[in-house]
């Protein structure tokens, strides 16, 4: 059954996370929007409610295990269960590796890598406790497979997300919990637009089929499909949502 599920989405204030929250809500799922940006996160919730959906906002720092545990607990306290966790929150920094600022490096690692690990741990424990055969979906990236200059820490985190997905899927299978990842390419998000002045956006567009950025809602569609029972054979896998970025150019 996919009706009346509860989906928890981190990084739900903007970009892929926002569009995914809207997608799940439009399909009838109850949504918990998590983000560090309280104003933008609440705006996502307000939009869902305006469209007739059910949602709450929980301010969350994914780099802290206690925040992720509190997020999962709040979802269960509010809606009675948790069926889907979309570990989507992420940040990026563009710096040559030899000029890398240690604080920036740790910020990226803490959010993109540790945040996913904490989400897997918190949601996995709760799903096991409640006997729910849920799905944990992680946002990886083509940059977990391909190297580019200036994004040393980002590459490290997305490579880690890919292997954490495989490892967690192997261990959580006995509880009926699937763990999968989506790997977007050049997506029109605030992170990507922040690189526009550096010429990175035009460079990325030139590497995809159709020479255009992927829309966040296209990735949201892929994430929703991966959450369904009909996708039960997809487990421990990284699904590319990159319009050929990693395959053709």
């Amino acid at each position: 059954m996919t009706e009346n599920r509860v989906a928890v989405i981190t990084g739900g204030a903007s970009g892929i996370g926002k569009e995914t929250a809207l997608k799940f809500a439009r399909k009838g799922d109850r949504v918990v929007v998590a983000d560090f940006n309280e104003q933008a996160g609440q705006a996502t919730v307000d939009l869902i409610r305006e469209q007739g959906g059910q949602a709450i906002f929980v301010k969350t720092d994914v780099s802290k295990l206690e925040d992720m545990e509190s997020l999962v607990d709040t979802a269960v306290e509010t809606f009675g269960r948790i069926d889907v966790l979309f570990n989507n929150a992420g940040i990026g920094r563009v710096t040559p590796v030899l000029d890398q600022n240690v604080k920036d490096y740790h910020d990226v690692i803490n959010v993109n890598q540790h945040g996913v690990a904490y989400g897997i741990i918190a949601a996995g424990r709760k799903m096991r406790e409640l006997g729910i055969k849920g799905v944990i979906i992680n946002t990886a990236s083509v940059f977990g497979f391909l190297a580019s200059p200036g994004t040393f820490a980002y590459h490290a985190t997305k490579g880690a997300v890919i292997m954490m997905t495989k490892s967690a899927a192997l261990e959580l299978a006995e509880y009926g919990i699937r763990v999968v990842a989506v790997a977007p390419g050049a997506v029109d998000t605030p992170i990507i637009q922040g690189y526009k002045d550096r010429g990175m956006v035009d460079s990325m567009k030139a590497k995809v089929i159709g020479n255009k950025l992927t829309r966040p809602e296209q990735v949201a569609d892929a994430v929703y499909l991966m959450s369904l029972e009909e996708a039960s054979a997809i487990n421990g896998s990284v699904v590319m949502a990159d319009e050929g970025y990693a395959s053709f150019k």
Side-chain angles (χ1 to χ4, degrees), residues 211-225:
N211 298 99
K212 65 183 184 302
L213 296 179
T214 302
R215 301 188 313 277
E217 54 266 37
Q218 291 178 284
V219 181
D221 288 344
V223 171
Y224 180 78
L225 290 172

Side-chain angles (χ1 to χ4, degrees), residues 40-123:
Q42 186 60 52
T44 300
V45 168
D46 292 343
L47 185 55
I48 289 172
R49 291 174 176 172
E50 288 170 10
Q51 296 178 0
Q54 297 183 63
I56 61 169
F57 172 75
V58 180
K59 184 174 182 179
T60 307
D61 181 351
V62 300
S63 70
K64 298 178 179 177
L65 176 59
E66 57 268 29
D67 270 32
M68 290 302 295
E69 290 175 330
S70 178
L71 169 64
V72 170
D73 286 343
T74 299
V76 174
E77 289 165 5
T78 304
F79 294 124
R81 57 189 297 116
I82 173 172
D83 300 277
V84 180
L85 170 67
F86 183 30
N87 269 321
N88 171 69
I91 60 174
R93 301 282 189 273
V94 179
T95 310
V97 61
L98 299 185
D99 297 327
Q100 182 74 63
N101 177 287
V102 172
K103 181 184 181 303
D104 286 347
Y105 171 81
H106 283 289
D107 285 347
V108 174
I109 297 292
N110 287 337
V111 172
N112 296 8
Q113 180 174 332
H114 295 167
V116 169
Y118 297 153
I120 291 170
I121 292 167

Side-chain angles (χ1 to χ4, degrees), residues 144-155:
F145 301 93
L146 305 174
S148 64
T151 50
F152 177 76
Y154 190 83
H155 286 301

Side-chain angles (χ1 to χ4, degrees), residues 167 172 215 218 222 247:
S167 177
L172 299 188
R215 301 188 313 277
Q218 291 178 284
S247 301

